[in-house]
Each structure stands twice: as C-alpha cells, then as structure tokens.
Amino acid sequence: MSDAISQQLEDIIKDLPWQVEPDSIAALSAGLTQQCFVVRAALVAQSDTQPIFQRIVIKLFSANQTIPGLALWHAAANAGLAAKVIHVSDIHGFVASSFINAANLNQLNMSYRDKIQLMCKALANLHQLPCDLKVFCPTSIIADLAKAAGPKLKANNIQLADVNTLISEALDSLFIDTSRYVSCHGDLNFNNVLHGAGVHFVDFDCAVLAEPEWDIAMMLAINNLGQEYINCAISSYQHNISSFSTKLSSDKVTRYYDIALLINMLWFVSADVGHFDKAQHSWAETQIKHGKTLIERRFLR
C-alpha cells in the first residue's frame, strides 16, 4: 500500500461516523486498481459499552471529485442488484458500502455460457433502472486514454490515428438510437459480478447512458470471450426481459465489440501495472493483443 493510499485511508477512518475496530483494515485485491478495503465498523451499537462490529467495504476515489457512477450504484442497491451505499464523501474521495459475502464470477467454477446467462439475467434488470448518467462517448474516452498512455503507445507500436479511424468507422455504421439508451454498467468483467444469495454488481465507475448492446459487447471483450458468444448473451438477455421491450441487435453488439477491444487495449497500455499479479499481467497482455490484432487486420499489417 502506497503512502498516499495509507494517508487517504487514515483520513477516511477519521471521517467515518462510526467506531472502527483497530487493525481491521484488509485490502480487497480481486480488482485491478487495488483501491477497495474491508474494515469492521460499529454501525449499530447494542449498548454504549458493547458496540456491534460488522464488515463494510470502502472504495477509494480521487479526493474532491464527483464519485462516478454513484447514481446507478444507488439505484442498483435499491433494486437488490448491488451493495447498499451507507456513506459517501466527495471531499475525502470514498464510498462506504455494505459487505456482501459472495464470490465473484472469476472465482467460481462455471462454464462461460453459465456465467453469461447469469450476468445477462441481472443485466436485463439493471438496464431498466432510470439514472442520470453521462452519455457514452467513445472518442472522448479514446482521447483521454491516449493522453494517459503517452509514450507507451509508441513502445507498443500503436498508432493513435489507426485507433481513431477504426472508432469512426464503427460509430458511422452503428446508427445509434438515443431513444434506446439505458443505464449501462460499462465494465462487466467477471470480478465485478458477485454470485451468492443473488447476483450483485460492483464497481460502477464506468457507468454510462448507452444502447444496451454496449454492455453486452464490453462484457464479452473484457472477459476475453469471442464473438461466438454474442448469440448466447443476446438470447439470455432477451429471455429475462419482461416489461422491457428492447430487442438487441447482434450486428450492433459486433460493432460495439470492436470499440470495446480498442478502449480496453488503451486502458491496459496506460495502466500502472506495477501492482498486477501474474494473472492480471496475462490479462493485460491478452487485451492489448486483441486490440492490436484488430488494427493489424484492418490495415493489413
């Protein structure tokens, strides 16, 4: 844990409105950012002398900024699709939520098709939640990631002009219908879906308003699942829609899939991989390879 993270946690503990059990902080290391921690706090006191401690999750963000995706997190929690948000601080940059004792899909011995079916069933419900979110803008995301990557682009033999060309071509062929926009999670990797007493989503940082096909495409791309799973995802999603009338397009999923590959490639190129474990390094290498392969096929390199 860096000195900056340690100081932020110390400030957060002071900011929490509850008593925190000494030496109870433990890192949750399943994700790539390593900015989630579990602490034991006395949310409810049995008496003045006998506090009852329970686990809560603290997710860190940059201090003095609006917490991204918080509106969808609240809505999902109210719908039983996410952990309950119990404390938020923009000043210190964190969200405290209830602890869900469940494994993520990456930890479970299930087939990919079973995981897809499980995720898409819950996703169909998530998409029905109205939220005030920013609109999905791939060109802006690409620009921000390219800026963050800097010289790493050249080191990985990636030309930004090629990426922008592919993004433009994909967007031109999508014929985006804003009337179909739904509340998308935006980062449905297996680590971000818990399965225990139900299905719960975590990490809403990438939540956006977009067509539902965007979530399906990113779900497949970020989990290194090929386009052969598109029909499985669509049928699972459609099967679990009741009052929701949206019909998914496999063609749109395919085009969004290419966009997801490019965004993921740039994200991993720009990421600080110093704390990645062996599996995460392999994940990063595969995501970068997928994006570069897409570019090479398009430009016949």
Side-chain angles (χ1 to χ4, degrees):
M1 188 188 307
S2 69
D3 291 341
I5 296 294
S6 296
Q7 183 60 55
Q8 187 177 6
L9 272 175
E10 184 179 329
D11 293 338
I12 286 170
I13 297 303
K14 294 176 182 177
D15 186 62
L16 289 174
W18 323 289
Q19 180 183 349
V20 174
E21 192 174 75
D23 302 320
S24 68
I25 300 176
L28 287 176
S29 57
L32 294 174
T33 59
Q34 290 191 334
Q35 290 185 321
C36 284
F37 300 86
V38 177
V39 303
R40 289 176 58 83
L43 304 189
V44 179
Q46 186 176 25
S47 70
D48 292 338
T49 58
Q50 291 183 309
I52 299 176
F53 289 93
Q54 62 188 70
R55 287 179 290 182
I56 64 172
V57 176
I58 293 177
K59 180 171 175 59
L60 305 186
F61 297 88
S62 298
N64 299 305
Q65 74 162 25
T66 301
I67 305 296
L70 189 58
L72 185 54
W73 189 345
H74 277 296
N78 290 335
L81 293 170
K84 180 182 178 182
V85 176
I86 52 182
H87 191 72
V88 178
S89 173
D90 292 339
I91 295 175
H92 292 298
F94 77 95
V95 175
S97 64
S98 58
F99 177 82
I100 296 176
N101 189 18
N104 65 55
L105 290 187
N106 204 37
Q107 298 167 322
L108 296 177
N109 185 23
M110 300 170 61
S111 70
Y112 287 144
R113 290 188 180 275
D114 285 345
K115 291 180 180 181
I116 289 171
Q117 290 171 359
L118 196 71
M119 294 171 75
C120 287
K121 179 178 180 179
L123 186 60
N125 293 325
L126 185 77
H127 282 176
Q128 297 181 63
L129 304 176
C131 282
D132 182 16
L133 298 169
K134 64 182 179 181
V135 173
F136 177 52
C137 182
T139 53
S140 177
I141 295 172
I142 292 293
D144 290 343
L145 289 173
K147 183 177 180 180
K152 293 181 182 179
L153 289 177
K154 185 176 181 180
N156 282 274
N157 196 29
I158 297 170
Q159 297 184 36
L160 183 57
D162 293 344
V163 177
N164 287 332
T165 296
L166 285 171
I167 291 290
S168 295
E169 290 175 351
L171 290 175
D172 288 344
S173 64
L174 270 169
F175 303 104
I176 294 173
D177 182 356
T178 58
S179 69
R180 299 177 66 248
Y181 277 5
V182 295
S183 301
C184 289
H185 181 282
D187 185 19
L188 290 173
N189 72 73
F190 290 147
N191 290 324
N192 287 341
V193 183
L194 307 180
H195 180 44
V199 176
H200 295 89
F201 297 107
V202 300
D203 288 355
F204 293 87
D205 308 19
C206 298
V208 290
L209 288 177
E211 293 184 298
E213 288 88 353
W214 167 241
D215 251 352
I216 299 291
M218 177 54 83
M219 176 190 71
L220 297 176
I222 195 62
N223 290 303
N224 293 324
L225 300 176
Q227 295 185 28
E228 64 270 21
Y229 288 98
I230 289 178
N231 288 337
C232 172
I234 288 178
S235 62
S236 299
Y237 183 98
Q238 299 284 178
H239 181 72
N240 289 288
I241 291 176
S242 53
S243 60
F244 201 45
S245 59
T246 295
K247 183 174 177 60
L248 297 188
S249 161
S250 60
D251 186 61
K252 282 199 171 189
V253 174
T254 299
R255 283 162 171 71
Y256 276 121
Y257 185 87
D258 287 349
I259 294 174
L261 290 181
L262 296 171
I263 287 176
N264 293 341
M265 174 190 70
L266 292 182
W267 191 93
F268 280 98
V269 166
S270 65
D272 178 9
V273 299
H275 64 268
F276 282 17
D277 60 25
K278 184 177 180 180
Q280 291 167 341
H281 272 289
S282 177
W283 186 11
E285 290 171 359
T286 302
Q287 288 287 309
I288 293 171
K289 179 182 178 182
H290 286 332
K292 293 178 69 173
T293 299
L294 179 63
I295 294 172
E296 290 165 1
R297 285 176 179 171
R298 167 61 178 81
F299 297 100
L300 301 177
R301 294 194 179 122

